[in-house]
Amino acid sequence: KVDGINHCLDVYRKILSTGTFMYGKGGKCEDNFEVHLACRSGYSICSYAEKSLRPDSTFALDTCSPFDLHEELQYDADTGMCTIGANGAINLK
């Protein structure tokens, strides 16, 4: 059994430790994405941004204002995905 929120914190820590990472086959177009994640104070004052690496793509996603991870990180037990933001707006890959 997966402990959802601890699993998500582990995922977040791994992403945060590298600062920038890439993942492939994301979204409907199965693009490769570059992601930047940073926090200035533990798990608060955080920001997240990702963009498609496909040359002709303009897709980009980011947070509009800094956020507190403890308030925004959620685990969706139905999909097994960790998300940030209202209604699971950003999936952590």
Side-chain angles (χ1 to χ4, degrees):
K1 182 179 178 181
V2 174
D3 177 0
I5 200 64
N6 283 326
H7 166 70
C8 291
L9 283 171
D10 287 343
V11 169
Y12 197 85
R13 282 186 202 108
K14 286 177 188 173
I15 296 169
L16 198 57
S17 70
T18 62
T20 299
F21 74 101
M22 294 180 202
Y23 70 91
K25 302 217 183 256
K28 292 180 183 177
C29 297
E30 297 191 343
D31 287 357
N32 293 321
F33 289 88
E34 180 178 79
V35 177
H36 298 277
L37 179 64
C39 292
R40 286 192 268 166
S41 177
Y43 292 115
S44 62
I45 312 175
C46 300
S47 63
Y48 180 95
E50 70 178 76
K51 65 179 181 178
S52 171
L53 296 175
R54 184 168 36 98
D56 61 340
S57 177
T58 59
F59 179 84
L61 180 68
D62 64 8
T63 52
C64 296
S65 59
F67 61 92
D68 183 326
L69 178 65
H70 294 289
E71 294 176 10
E72 300 297 330
L73 187 65
Q74 300 171 14
Y75 177 72
D76 184 336
D78 292 335
T79 64
M81 294 294 297
C82 302
T83 63
I84 297 174
N87 301 317
I90 300 172
N91 291 325
L92 297 181
K93 306 294 183 201

